[in-house]
mmCIF file of all heavy atoms in Angstrom:
data_model
loop_
_atom_site.group_PDB
_atom_site.id
_atom_site.type_symbol
_atom_site.label_atom_id
_atom_site.label_comp_id
_atom_site.label_asym_id
_atom_site.label_seq_id
_atom_site.Cartn_x
_atom_site.Cartn_y
_atom_site.Cartn_z
ATOM 1 N N THR A 85 52.709 -71.403 -2.210
ATOM 2 C CA THR A 85 53.626 -72.140 -3.079
ATOM 3 C C THR A 85 55.063 -72.030 -2.565
ATOM 4 O O THR A 85 55.791 -73.029 -2.497
ATOM 5 C CB THR A 85 53.523 -71.611 -4.525
ATOM 6 O OG1 THR A 85 52.173 -71.757 -4.958
ATOM 7 C CG2 THR A 85 54.441 -72.372 -5.453
ATOM 8 N N PHE A 86 55.450 -70.816 -2.184
ATOM 9 C CA PHE A 86 56.807 -70.645 -1.638
ATOM 10 C C PHE A 86 56.913 -71.302 -0.258
ATOM 11 O O PHE A 86 57.942 -71.898 0.081
ATOM 12 C CB PHE A 86 57.167 -69.160 -1.543
ATOM 13 C CG PHE A 86 57.241 -68.463 -2.875
ATOM 14 C CD1 PHE A 86 56.571 -67.262 -3.090
ATOM 15 C CD2 PHE A 86 57.980 -69.004 -3.923
ATOM 16 C CE1 PHE A 86 56.634 -66.620 -4.314
ATOM 17 C CE2 PHE A 86 58.041 -68.366 -5.159
ATOM 18 C CZ PHE A 86 57.362 -67.168 -5.356
ATOM 19 N N ALA A 87 55.854 -71.207 0.545
ATOM 20 C CA ALA A 87 55.876 -71.821 1.887
ATOM 21 C C ALA A 87 56.050 -73.334 1.781
ATOM 22 O O ALA A 87 56.801 -73.949 2.555
ATOM 23 C CB ALA A 87 54.600 -71.474 2.644
ATOM 24 N N LYS A 88 55.382 -73.930 0.800
ATOM 25 C CA LYS A 88 55.518 -75.380 0.607
ATOM 26 C C LYS A 88 56.932 -75.730 0.190
ATOM 27 O O LYS A 88 57.526 -76.699 0.677
ATOM 28 C CB LYS A 88 54.512 -75.854 -0.447
ATOM 29 C CG LYS A 88 54.557 -77.360 -0.685
ATOM 30 C CD LYS A 88 53.561 -77.775 -1.767
ATOM 31 C CE LYS A 88 53.606 -79.283 -1.978
ATOM 32 N NZ LYS A 88 52.713 -79.703 -3.078
ATOM 33 N N ALA A 89 57.478 -74.927 -0.741
ATOM 34 C CA ALA A 89 58.837 -75.214 -1.231
ATOM 35 C C ALA A 89 59.869 -75.079 -0.109
ATOM 36 O O ALA A 89 60.851 -75.827 -0.068
ATOM 37 C CB ALA A 89 59.175 -74.246 -2.376
ATOM 38 N N LEU A 90 59.644 -74.140 0.785
ATOM 39 C CA LEU A 90 60.579 -73.952 1.901
ATOM 40 C C LEU A 90 60.343 -74.981 2.998
ATOM 41 O O LEU A 90 61.177 -75.147 3.905
ATOM 42 C CB LEU A 90 60.415 -72.528 2.485
ATOM 43 C CG LEU A 90 60.902 -71.396 1.578
ATOM 44 C CD1 LEU A 90 60.278 -70.060 1.997
ATOM 45 C CD2 LEU A 90 62.427 -71.302 1.614
ATOM 46 N N GLY A 91 59.216 -75.670 2.953
ATOM 47 C CA GLY A 91 58.854 -76.668 3.970
ATOM 48 C C GLY A 91 57.729 -76.151 4.832
ATOM 49 O O GLY A 91 57.908 -75.185 5.570
ATOM 50 N N TRP A 92 56.560 -76.783 4.725
ATOM 51 C CA TRP A 92 55.407 -76.329 5.508
ATOM 52 C C TRP A 92 55.802 -76.189 6.983
ATOM 53 O O TRP A 92 56.321 -77.115 7.581
ATOM 54 C CB TRP A 92 54.264 -77.336 5.445
ATOM 55 C CG TRP A 92 53.583 -77.568 4.130
ATOM 56 C CD1 TRP A 92 53.390 -78.761 3.506
ATOM 57 C CD2 TRP A 92 52.917 -76.606 3.298
ATOM 58 N NE1 TRP A 92 52.671 -78.617 2.347
ATOM 59 C CE2 TRP A 92 52.375 -77.303 2.189
ATOM 60 C CE3 TRP A 92 52.743 -75.221 3.374
ATOM 61 C CZ2 TRP A 92 51.658 -76.662 1.179
ATOM 62 C CZ3 TRP A 92 52.038 -74.592 2.361
ATOM 63 C CH2 TRP A 92 51.504 -75.305 1.278
ATOM 64 N N GLN A 93 55.542 -75.031 7.551
ATOM 65 C CA GLN A 93 55.815 -74.862 8.985
ATOM 66 C C GLN A 93 54.702 -74.104 9.685
ATOM 67 O O GLN A 93 54.862 -73.667 10.818
ATOM 68 C CB GLN A 93 57.189 -74.205 9.219
ATOM 69 C CG GLN A 93 57.508 -72.950 8.387
ATOM 70 C CD GLN A 93 56.975 -71.661 8.994
ATOM 71 O OE1 GLN A 93 55.853 -71.630 9.446
ATOM 72 N NE2 GLN A 93 57.780 -70.603 8.999
ATOM 73 N N GLY A 94 53.548 -73.984 9.004
ATOM 74 C CA GLY A 94 52.373 -73.455 9.687
ATOM 75 C C GLY A 94 52.258 -71.946 9.725
ATOM 76 O O GLY A 94 51.430 -71.408 10.457
ATOM 77 N N ALA A 95 53.069 -71.231 8.931
ATOM 78 C CA ALA A 95 53.033 -69.764 8.959
ATOM 79 C C ALA A 95 51.695 -69.237 8.417
ATOM 80 O O ALA A 95 51.045 -69.875 7.594
ATOM 81 C CB ALA A 95 54.180 -69.193 8.122
ATOM 82 N N ARG A 96 51.333 -68.050 8.883
ATOM 83 C CA ARG A 96 50.255 -67.275 8.258
ATOM 84 C C ARG A 96 50.647 -67.027 6.796
ATOM 85 O O ARG A 96 51.830 -66.914 6.490
ATOM 86 C CB ARG A 96 50.140 -65.957 9.020
ATOM 87 C CG ARG A 96 49.019 -65.043 8.629
ATOM 88 C CD ARG A 96 49.129 -63.743 9.418
ATOM 89 N NE ARG A 96 48.769 -63.915 10.824
ATOM 90 C CZ ARG A 96 47.558 -63.690 11.319
ATOM 91 N NH1 ARG A 96 46.586 -63.268 10.533
ATOM 92 N NH2 ARG A 96 47.308 -63.856 12.596
ATOM 93 N N VAL A 97 49.677 -66.913 5.901
ATOM 94 C CA VAL A 97 50.018 -66.756 4.489
ATOM 95 C C VAL A 97 49.087 -65.783 3.788
ATOM 96 O O VAL A 97 47.917 -65.661 4.141
ATOM 97 C CB VAL A 97 50.004 -68.136 3.765
ATOM 98 C CG1 VAL A 97 48.593 -68.719 3.747
ATOM 99 C CG2 VAL A 97 50.588 -68.040 2.365
ATOM 100 N N ALA A 98 49.639 -65.072 2.798
ATOM 101 C CA ALA A 98 48.832 -64.214 1.921
ATOM 102 C C ALA A 98 49.468 -64.202 0.537
ATOM 103 O O ALA A 98 50.686 -64.399 0.404
ATOM 104 C CB ALA A 98 48.762 -62.787 2.474
ATOM 105 N N SER A 99 48.654 -63.991 -0.477
ATOM 106 C CA SER A 99 49.131 -63.858 -1.855
ATOM 107 C C SER A 99 48.537 -62.584 -2.437
ATOM 108 O O SER A 99 47.380 -62.270 -2.193
ATOM 109 C CB SER A 99 48.706 -65.055 -2.701
ATOM 110 O OG SER A 99 49.273 -66.237 -2.202
ATOM 111 N N VAL A 100 49.355 -61.865 -3.216
ATOM 112 C CA VAL A 100 48.964 -60.538 -3.676
ATOM 113 C C VAL A 100 49.174 -60.435 -5.174
ATOM 114 O O VAL A 100 50.252 -60.768 -5.674
ATOM 115 C CB VAL A 100 49.843 -59.459 -2.991
ATOM 116 C CG1 VAL A 100 49.531 -58.089 -3.557
ATOM 117 C CG2 VAL A 100 49.645 -59.466 -1.484
ATOM 118 N N TYR A 101 48.159 -59.950 -5.891
ATOM 119 C CA TYR A 101 48.396 -59.617 -7.293
ATOM 120 C C TYR A 101 48.011 -58.176 -7.574
ATOM 121 O O TYR A 101 46.883 -57.781 -7.301
ATOM 122 C CB TYR A 101 47.655 -60.538 -8.267
ATOM 123 C CG TYR A 101 48.079 -60.215 -9.673
ATOM 124 C CD1 TYR A 101 49.345 -60.587 -10.112
ATOM 125 C CD2 TYR A 101 47.294 -59.464 -10.524
ATOM 126 C CE1 TYR A 101 49.800 -60.232 -11.369
ATOM 127 C CE2 TYR A 101 47.741 -59.110 -11.789
ATOM 128 C CZ TYR A 101 48.994 -59.499 -12.202
ATOM 129 O OH TYR A 101 49.449 -59.142 -13.433
ATOM 130 N N ALA A 102 48.949 -57.408 -8.102
ATOM 131 C CA ALA A 102 48.678 -56.032 -8.525
ATOM 132 C C ALA A 102 49.585 -55.697 -9.698
ATOM 133 O O ALA A 102 50.146 -54.608 -9.780
ATOM 134 C CB ALA A 102 48.901 -55.071 -7.377
ATOM 135 N N ALA A 103 49.757 -56.657 -10.616
ATOM 136 C CA ALA A 103 50.660 -56.495 -11.765
ATOM 137 C C ALA A 103 52.029 -56.019 -11.265
ATOM 138 O O ALA A 103 52.553 -56.581 -10.313
ATOM 139 C CB ALA A 103 50.039 -55.570 -12.800
ATOM 140 N N CYS A 104 52.578 -54.969 -11.868
ATOM 141 C CA CYS A 104 53.929 -54.531 -11.503
ATOM 142 C C CYS A 104 54.011 -53.998 -10.079
ATOM 143 O O CYS A 104 55.104 -53.854 -9.529
ATOM 144 C CB CYS A 104 54.422 -53.466 -12.480
ATOM 145 S SG CYS A 104 54.751 -54.108 -14.118
ATOM 146 N N ALA A 105 52.873 -53.685 -9.463
ATOM 147 C CA ALA A 105 52.864 -53.205 -8.082
ATOM 148 C C ALA A 105 52.712 -54.361 -7.089
ATOM 149 O O ALA A 105 52.634 -54.127 -5.880
ATOM 150 C CB ALA A 105 51.742 -52.193 -7.876
ATOM 151 N N SER A 106 52.683 -55.588 -7.565
ATOM 152 C CA SER A 106 52.470 -56.740 -6.677
ATOM 153 C C SER A 106 53.480 -56.771 -5.539
ATOM 154 O O SER A 106 53.131 -57.016 -4.386
ATOM 155 C CB SER A 106 52.567 -58.051 -7.469
ATOM 156 O OG SER A 106 51.606 -58.096 -8.496
ATOM 157 N N GLY A 107 54.746 -56.548 -5.867
ATOM 158 C CA GLY A 107 55.791 -56.636 -4.847
ATOM 159 C C GLY A 107 55.614 -55.598 -3.756
ATOM 160 O O GLY A 107 55.762 -55.897 -2.568
ATOM 161 N N ALA A 108 55.266 -54.378 -4.142
ATOM 162 C CA ALA A 108 55.084 -53.319 -3.146
ATOM 163 C C ALA A 108 53.863 -53.612 -2.284
ATOM 164 O O ALA A 108 53.864 -53.354 -1.074
ATOM 165 C CB ALA A 108 54.944 -51.965 -3.826
ATOM 166 N N GLN A 109 52.822 -54.157 -2.898
ATOM 167 C CA GLN A 109 51.634 -54.489 -2.104
ATOM 168 C C GLN A 109 51.919 -55.667 -1.174
ATOM 169 O O GLN A 109 51.360 -55.733 -0.072
ATOM 170 C CB GLN A 109 50.446 -54.767 -3.022
ATOM 171 C CG GLN A 109 50.022 -53.502 -3.758
ATOM 172 C CD GLN A 109 48.574 -53.505 -4.177
ATOM 173 O OE1 GLN A 109 47.809 -54.398 -3.850
ATOM 174 N NE2 GLN A 109 48.177 -52.479 -4.913
ATOM 175 N N ALA A 110 52.782 -56.582 -1.600
ATOM 176 C CA ALA A 110 53.188 -57.682 -0.723
ATOM 177 C C ALA A 110 53.972 -57.129 0.465
ATOM 178 O O ALA A 110 53.755 -57.534 1.613
ATOM 179 C CB ALA A 110 54.026 -58.701 -1.506
ATOM 180 N N VAL A 111 54.876 -56.194 0.196
ATOM 181 C CA VAL A 111 55.622 -55.536 1.280
ATOM 182 C C VAL A 111 54.642 -54.843 2.228
ATOM 183 O O VAL A 111 54.770 -54.918 3.451
ATOM 184 C CB VAL A 111 56.623 -54.510 0.702
ATOM 185 C CG1 VAL A 111 57.174 -53.596 1.795
ATOM 186 C CG2 VAL A 111 57.765 -55.234 -0.014
#
Side-chain angles (χ1 to χ4, degrees):
Chain A
T85 302
F86 296 130
K88 182 181 181 184
L90 290 160
W92 294 126
Q93 48 85 316
R96 185 184 288 266
V97 65
S99 298
V100 175
Y101 186 73
C104 291
S106 300
Q109 293 206 6
V111 167

